[in-house]
Amino acid sequence: MVDLLIDEVRGAALGDERLNDRLVRIVERFGQSPNLSIPAATTSRAEMEAVYRFFNNDKVSSQKILAPHAARTLERMASQSVVILVQDTTEIDLTRPSQPVKGAGPMDSESRRGEFFHPLMAFSSEGIPRGIVWHKLWTRDSIEVEATPAEKTKKRKETPIEDKESIRWVEGFRAARKAAAKCPQTTCVCVSDSESDIYELLSEPRS
């Protein structure tokens, strides 16, 4: 299983061979213990600090880490007659009241801190996961806590879609369209929940 995980990130271009090698070692380590924290999964303080330095490096991003995985996902999609591309949003709650996490933003309240992850995942028609095609990560700088419902509605109507969090649904659909174009023999069906029921998505070209 660990070897399969390593294959999914091998070839990531992080701008430094040492970072590329470190990524493989991190995946190997955490593939063996996916339920453990970084301090618990690493075997020495030096290794633990190396992992933290890796994730704090400006050259490292989730897009670069997952790029080879996304390419392999497209290869798996191309071998299918039908693929379901599902997009949805999940919260990554990083709330630590006694020691706030640097870079975390407010979620549904100022007391809950974290970020949001919106993946576009491919599944076979039987529901077997084929991988992540595209994803988006973001944090909120602030949230409206004093505005009335009427004020919130007015602001929402006046804000262009490009400046709304809901643009993620459009971006996800566009990513699905690009993936479908790269797998011309595969029928790709994009699925999302009722939160994506917005004009800008419904008006997007289908091909």
Side-chain angles (χ1 to χ4, degrees):
M1 181 64 180
V2 173
D3 289 341
L4 293 176
L5 292 175
I6 292 175
D7 287 341
E8 292 297 302
V9 298
R10 197 183 300 280
L14 302 178
D16 188 319
E17 284 301 320
R18 293 170 297 179
L19 291 174
N20 298 342
D21 293 340
R22 174 60 63 183
L23 173 60
V24 170
R25 292 199 293 273
I26 288 174
V27 169
E28 181 178 22
R29 176 66 68 195
F30 287 94
Q32 296 169 349
S33 307
N35 60 314
L36 299 181
S37 64
I38 291 176
T42 49
T43 59
S44 67
R45 184 175 183 83
E47 184 183 21
M48 178 186 71
E49 292 179 348
V51 172
Y52 281 123
R53 285 197 303 271
F54 174 87
F55 288 118
N56 196 44
N57 194 301
D58 291 338
K59 294 181 179 180
V60 175
S61 69
S62 60
Q63 286 77 15
K64 291 180 180 179
I65 289 174
L66 288 176
H69 167 69
R72 288 170 177 77
T73 298
L74 287 173
E75 293 173 1
R76 289 187 284 269
M77 287 174 56
S79 68
Q80 304 288 309
S81 58
V82 177
V83 166
I84 312 299
L85 293 170
V86 182
Q87 59 170 326
D88 203 359
T89 308
T90 188
E91 297 179 343
I92 302 176
D93 194 331
L94 301 173
T95 305
R96 294 172 62 183
S98 61
Q99 187 180 5
V101 175
K102 182 180 178 180
M107 304 186 82
D108 56 353
S109 67
E110 289 291 346
S111 60
R112 288 186 67 231
R113 313 288 291 184
E115 62 182 347
F116 298 87
F117 179 57
H118 188 85
L120 177 70
M121 296 190 66
F123 295 84
S124 70
S125 57
E126 295 81 18
I128 299 173
R130 293 304 182 188
I132 295 176
V133 177
W134 169 90
H135 73 284
K136 183 175 185 176
L137 276 167
W138 76 94
T139 57
R140 290 173 177 164
D141 295 325
S142 62
I143 56 174
E144 292 284 355
V145 293
E146 297 182 355
T148 65
E151 289 171 334
K152 291 180 180 180
T153 298
K154 182 176 183 294
K155 181 178 180 180
R156 185 168 61 250
K157 290 181 177 180
E158 293 175 347
T159 303
I161 184 64
E162 292 79 10
D163 296 331
K164 295 179 180 179
E165 288 185 4
S166 53
I167 188 63
R168 67 190 186 275
W169 301 106
V170 178
E171 293 170 336
F173 182 80
R174 290 172 180 170
R177 193 169 60 214
K178 289 181 180 179
K182 293 178 180 179
C183 306
Q185 304 305 314
T186 303
T187 299
C188 296
V189 181
C190 190
V191 177
S192 52
D193 65 19
S194 59
E195 190 179 352
S196 67
D197 186 11
I198 55 176
Y199 171 79
E200 291 81 1
L201 176 61
L202 298 175
S203 64
E204 277 289 305
R206 294 303 185 257
S207 61

